Amino acid sequence: MKRICIKIGSNVLTKENGELNTSRIKNIVYQISSLRNMGIQCILVSSGAVAAGRSKVKLSEKIDTVSARQIWSSVGQVELLNVYSAFLKEFEIECAQVLVTKQDFRTREHYLNMKNCLNSLLNNRILPIINENDAVSVTALMFTDNDELSGLIASMMDVEALYLLSNINGIYTGNPDDNNSTLLQTVHGDVNRLKQYITTKKSNFGRGGMLTKCSIAGRVAKSGIPVHIANGGIDDIVLELVNSPDEINHTSFTASKKASTVKQWLAGSDGFEKARLVINKGAEEALCSKKATSLLPIGVIKISGDFEKGDIIKIVGLSGKVIGLGKTQYNKTKAESYIGKTGTKPLVHYDYLFLY
């Protein structure tokens, strides 16, 4: 059975006054029911809890930002799920709330436990509605926004496609409100060149912006999953994209060759690295070539931080450019003893290496 992931932003789900847009949620539920009838399983990553809570609870201006967010998300999550559940019952669909933090992705064991949970829900025809657990997350451990979370979920569940629904049609060559800006319909490969086009403006009720969407979309596409950024304010937009993607004004990111499940896990492990390795120019060229290459200690110049066998490390070039993430085959002590020597075992085998 086909499986897709849909992420809906706060600005799609809320009105200008911050209240939940129930007609928009109803249409999303209709689309999910229609997709299910087409034999497509859906995973829903939904923002909107903080916005919903903010419209319900008025707090003192003296309260700190973290506490306010915790209160609003706690109250708003109940409101958000009640609205979804009520509409889903009309289509005889059960839903489950899955609240996660970034720490839930920190080890392969946690990762697989969460994957098993989502698979169990889907196999029993229950719709997972996923959101970050803002009530317990703190700044250092938070996702950039739900775009990052949806990218991790999409890779974890090996979906057919990821749909990021925003309040505009996609990525433009300038400010979307400028008549001289044009919509980028298709993105292939390196997304760094797109940063010159993207506004840093964020949504009224969410944390994220188009720059984050672009970065996440590029990484997910590189792991082998196509990504579509589209206007969630348009009725039946996901149905249209599934049936006739070329006829809809949106931005699509072309997928690379499908990565292994381990590489997909590594693709979402940024921020969990135990150490940072600087490599020389020769090692960088070898890793970035089309040939499958492992990271050998002879190419390592500097190690910052400590690590054991099986830990995640970040690999950086001489210029400071982040090249990728890898899972180590031995600890820092052994790695340092091998630096500059030939004939040693790879520090990171190619099968456990994800390159940006």
Side-chain angles (χ1 to χ4, degrees), residues 4 6-9 12 24 27-32 34-35 38 163-170 183 228-251:
I4 65 172
I6 304 168
K7 183 269 174 178
I8 308 167
V12 176
R24 179 57 43 215
N27 182 257
I28 290 161
V29 167
Y30 164 74
Q31 292 181 74
I32 289 172
S34 300
L35 289 163
M38 293 163 57
Y163 297 89
L164 300 176
L165 303 186
S166 183
N167 58 345
I168 58 175
N169 290 343
L183 180 69
H228 303 270
I229 298 177
N231 193 332
I234 299 173
D235 281 349
D236 303 340
I237 185 66
V238 180
L239 287 173
E240 297 286 348
L241 287 170
V242 168
N243 291 321
S244 308
D246 295 336
E247 297 178 13
I248 306 299
N249 282 332
H250 76 293
T251 301

Side-chain angles (χ1 to χ4, degrees), residues 148-313:
E148 181 183 9
L149 172 56
S150 67
L152 293 172
I153 295 294
S155 293
M156 171 194 286
M157 302 307 292
D158 196 22
V159 299
E160 297 279 334
L162 169 62
Y163 297 89
L164 300 176
L165 303 186
S166 183
N167 58 345
I168 58 175
N169 290 343
I171 297 174
Y172 287 80
T173 58
N175 190 316
D177 298 327
D178 188 342
N179 291 331
N180 293 322
S181 297
T182 57
L183 180 69
L184 295 172
Q185 299 274 7
T186 307
V187 177
H188 299 282
D190 186 17
V191 299
N192 288 325
R193 63 183 179 82
L194 301 179
K195 293 179 181 179
Q196 61 182 309
Y197 301 133
I198 301 171
T199 174
T200 56
K201 180 181 178 182
K202 296 185 178 181
S203 66
N204 294 332
F205 302 108
R207 295 201 304 273
M210 199 54 70
L211 193 59
T212 304
K213 283 181 176 58
C214 182
S215 176
I216 297 302
R219 190 178 302 179
V220 172
K222 189 161 187 178
S223 74
I225 298 169
V227 182
H228 303 270
I229 298 177
N231 193 332
I234 299 173
D235 281 349
D236 303 340
I237 185 66
V238 180
L239 287 173
E240 297 286 348
L241 287 170
V242 168
N243 291 321
S244 308
D246 295 336
E247 297 178 13
I248 306 299
N249 282 332
H250 76 293
T251 301
S252 66
F253 288 71
T254 306
S256 302
K257 181 182 177 182
K258 182 74 76 172
S260 69
T261 56
V262 171
K263 287 180 182 284
Q264 288 178 348
W265 167 62
L266 284 168
S269 296
D270 191 18
F272 295 126
E273 65 274 3
K274 294 294 183 66
R276 186 182 181 96
L277 273 64
V278 179
I279 61 175
N280 61 32
K281 187 177 180 181
E284 181 176 352
E285 289 175 350
L287 291 180
C288 295
S289 68
K290 293 183 179 180
K291 183 180 178 182
T293 307
S294 300
L295 175 61
L296 300 172
I298 195 169
V300 177
I301 295 174
K302 180 182 178 183
I303 300 175
S304 301
D306 195 14
F307 61 87
E308 298 296 327
K309 178 182 178 181
D311 282 343
I312 296 169
I313 50 104

